Amino acid sequence: MDKEFEEKCLLTRNVTLEPTVTEVKDERSKQFLAEQHKGNSEYFLECAKNLLRSTTPLAAVLIGHFAMEHKGNQLLALHGYKVESHICTQIGLSRIVGRKDLAKKLSDIFTLRQSVGYRLTLERSDESRIEAEKIMNETVIPFFEEVEKLVDKVNQ
């Protein structure tokens, strides 16, 4: 047995995690961080849309998740938080922004991302394209639109 594999993969480990959220108080830093997340969210959204037209449309679900997460983090940055954890993005949307519905959508896309990412039966098919398009149109794009409205309100 390989010692490193055994220690890191087969044995129980205790891990200490550092905080995954940092408060940001400076207004310029908030805006800068929000702009970074905005750029990333738009990049991933465009990538996901492109994947819908490719031979690997289900990959759009994986990328769509990251687009949504960055969009949520954009909003949280404007509220003064730098978030580096998907679960904290969900909690922040629910508790800081007061939008449990958006947190639920982010949770749902995370579950879908895992479902697609760990499938053993990925295939190129019309059904896959239809499934991916439905997820994009019913989850990813509406999330983006709703968060953008909230971003606009904060920036007013």
Side-chain angles (χ1 to χ4, degrees):
M1 174 63 64
D2 179 82
K3 184 176 177 163
E4 181 182 19
F5 181 74
E6 182 178 11
E7 288 175 357
K8 292 185 178 179
C9 304
L10 295 174
L11 297 177
T12 301
R13 297 183 297 155
N14 292 321
V15 178
T16 302
L17 298 174
E18 296 295 323
T20 57
V21 176
T22 308
E23 285 190 76
V24 180
K25 297 185 191 261
D26 176 66
E27 196 58 39
R28 285 180 58 192
S29 297
K30 288 180 193 179
Q31 290 296 326
F32 182 74
L33 182 59
E35 285 300 313
Q36 287 179 312
H37 281 297
K38 178 182 180 179
N40 286 356
S41 69
E42 290 171 352
Y43 183 94
F44 282 125
L45 181 62
E46 183 178 345
C47 179
K49 287 177 179 178
N50 290 337
L51 284 166
L52 290 175
R53 297 184 302 272
S54 75
T55 58
T56 57
L58 282 173
V61 177
L62 290 102
I63 300 301
H65 164 261
F66 292 112
M68 288 174 64
E69 190 166 76
H70 277 288
K71 194 67 177 171
N73 285 337
Q74 176 189 0
L75 181 58
L76 290 170
L78 293 171
H79 283 273
Y81 297 96
K82 178 181 180 184
V83 182
E84 299 177 282
S85 156
H86 67 269
I87 190 67
C88 291
T89 302
Q90 292 172 33
I91 294 169
L93 289 173
S94 178
R95 308 272 168 68
I96 302 300
V97 180
R99 293 295 301 267
K100 289 182 181 185
D101 60 319
L102 295 176
K104 172 84 168 89
K105 286 181 181 181
L106 192 55
S107 175
D108 290 347
I109 195 73
F110 179 78
T111 301
L112 286 168
R113 178 190 77 114
Q114 286 185 307
S115 170
V116 169
Y118 293 104
R119 273 187 199 178
L120 297 177
T121 58
L122 288 171
E123 59 185 55
R124 295 179 179 109
S125 67
D126 288 337
E127 291 81 19
S128 293
R129 182 174 321 287
I130 291 166
E131 179 183 2
E133 287 174 350
K134 182 177 181 194
I135 291 167
M136 287 293 294
N137 291 329
E138 293 179 6
T139 303
V140 177
I141 293 171
F143 180 92
F144 247 73
E145 292 169 348
E146 189 60 29
V147 172
E148 189 58 33
K149 290 177 192 173
L150 297 171
V151 165
D152 288 345
K153 283 183 184 178
V154 172
N155 282 329
Q156 289 179 350

